[in-house]
Amino acid sequence: MELNQFIQVGLPISLALIMLSLGLTTRLDLFISQVSKPRATLTGLLAQLCLVPLLALGIVILLDMPPALATGLMILSFCPGGVTSNWFSHMSRANVPLSISLTVIASLITPFTIPLLSELALQWQMEENRAVEIPLGLTMMRLFVISVIPVVLGVVLRTRFEILSQRLQPVVYRLATGLFMCVIAGIIIQQWVRLPDLLAQAGTASMCVILAGMLAGTLLARAMQLSKRDQHTITIEVGMQNGGMALVVTQNVLQSAELSIVPVIYGLIMLLPIYLYSLYARTQPV
């Protein structure tokens, strides 16, 4: 199998397995109990789905980004959370059930919002020189199959077969993470010669999105007078975007290496600031 074919096949499979592993950690009763406390959940969702795209829009305008990079950044901003944020919430001694709930709810919403918002971003930035089209219905279906179905399946399995799910989840997560890392390595190999230029082009914007999201999440959570644990969770959730989901759109659906630059670079630099924040959060009283 050629490298490009491996990326095209491996990326959606790895993301589907990651979402399945998320579902396998989520018992329905715990999910419902967390959602029944709406202030923290709604604060997190508002920040993820509305505030982050607005921050990305401001960064695009402020940095006067080229159309392809601007579009890639906007698509990334439409893809909140991800399973990795749940691990960092655990590491930070934050509210892990809230983190999982936000990731699950976002995964149920974004298959419908990402294609529509991505189409708007393409029209805004690339209409004059547009070489890619986003098939809305097909994209929604793909994202639904990749995210919603695995999450729902995992929740059902965890609720009905808890012991089996507890044994299965670490295996699925390791398999999914390993495959996803191989896909990212394949993309880096493809772009190796251009990597220094890509870092220079997209690194600043990616770091701005991370830091602005973390700061905005912290301020919003404090304004809503949430507990310290909830504040840490929302800071992490708003600071982290689902680069894998963004790559499904840019690499698999749109098949554009240019649009994939920001999600790849973002994935390379995202972990450091989130990790440093997690170390800081562990030292704070809750």
Side-chain angles (χ1 to χ4, degrees):
M1 181 183 292
E2 294 182 2
L3 182 58
N4 192 57
Q5 290 177 319
F6 168 72
I7 293 170
Q8 294 294 326
V9 174
L11 182 57
I13 291 175
S14 65
L15 194 59
L17 289 174
I18 287 172
M19 301 312 291
L20 175 62
S21 74
L22 169 65
L24 290 171
T25 66
T26 312
R27 274 178 34 208
L28 188 58
D29 56 340
L30 293 178
F31 174 71
I32 292 173
S33 69
Q34 184 61 55
V35 174
S36 66
K37 305 170 185 176
R39 186 167 57 166
T41 304
L42 290 176
T43 299
L45 287 174
L46 176 67
Q48 287 181 312
L49 299 175
C50 300
L51 187 56
V52 173
L54 290 175
L55 291 172
L57 177 63
I59 290 167
V60 165
I61 295 171
L62 183 65
L63 298 182
D64 192 22
M65 296 176 67
L69 294 182
T71 306
L73 186 69
M74 293 308 301
I75 291 174
L76 176 71
S77 74
F78 306 146
C79 303
V83 177
T84 309
S85 65
N86 307 150
W87 184 83
F88 277 111
S89 287
H90 173 74
M91 178 182 172
S92 304
R93 297 176 184 166
N95 187 340
V96 177
L98 173 61
S99 176
I100 293 173
S101 297
L102 289 172
T103 305
V104 169
I105 295 171
S107 72
L108 300 177
I109 296 172
T110 51
F112 307 101
T113 59
I114 291 172
L116 294 171
L117 294 173
S118 297
E119 173 62 22
L120 292 176
L122 285 165
Q123 290 179 6
W124 173 46
Q125 282 290 326
M126 304 186 70
E127 190 60 42
E128 294 182 3
N129 224 352
R130 189 161 173 178
V132 292
E133 298 286 341
I134 184 164
L136 291 176
L138 180 60
T139 305
M140 288 181 183
M141 187 179 299
R142 283 188 183 183
L143 296 180
F144 186 87
V145 170
I146 289 171
S147 61
V148 176
I149 292 177
V151 165
V152 172
L153 176 61
V155 171
V156 171
L157 288 173
R158 179 58 188 264
T159 303
R160 299 197 62 180
F161 307 102
E162 184 163 358
I163 296 177
L164 173 63
S165 298
Q166 288 176 336
R167 293 175 179 172
L168 189 61
Q169 192 275 335
V171 177
V172 173
Y173 182 73
R174 291 191 193 103
L175 177 63
T177 304
L179 180 56
F180 184 72
M181 294 305 296
C182 289
V183 169
I184 295 300
I187 295 173
I188 292 173
I189 291 170
Q190 278 188 327
Q191 303 293 334
W192 182 254
V193 176
R194 301 176 60 207
L195 194 58
D197 290 337
L198 300 182
L199 280 168
Q201 292 175 32
T204 300
S206 298
M207 186 60 76
C208 284
V209 167
I210 299 166
L211 297 179
M214 293 173 68
L215 177 60
T218 298
L219 294 176
L220 182 60
R222 287 180 179 176
M224 296 300 293
Q225 299 182 335
L226 301 181
S227 69
K228 285 289 186 181
R229 294 180 70 233
D230 288 352
Q231 288 180 28
H232 293 321
T233 298
I234 289 175
T235 298
I236 292 168
E237 289 291 332
V238 180
M240 294 186 72
Q241 295 302 109
N242 192 337
M245 188 70 77
L247 278 173
V248 167
V249 177
T250 59
Q251 189 80 25
N252 282 65
V253 176
L254 299 174
Q255 298 186 2
S256 171
E258 279 191 306
L259 296 180
S260 300
I261 290 171
V262 171
V264 170
I265 298 303
Y266 176 90
L268 294 177
I269 68 175
M270 169 190 70
L271 297 179
L272 179 59
I274 300 293
Y275 177 73
L276 292 176
Y277 178 81
S278 298
L279 293 180
Y280 159 78
R282 284 180 65 88
T283 67
Q284 302 301 301
V286 294

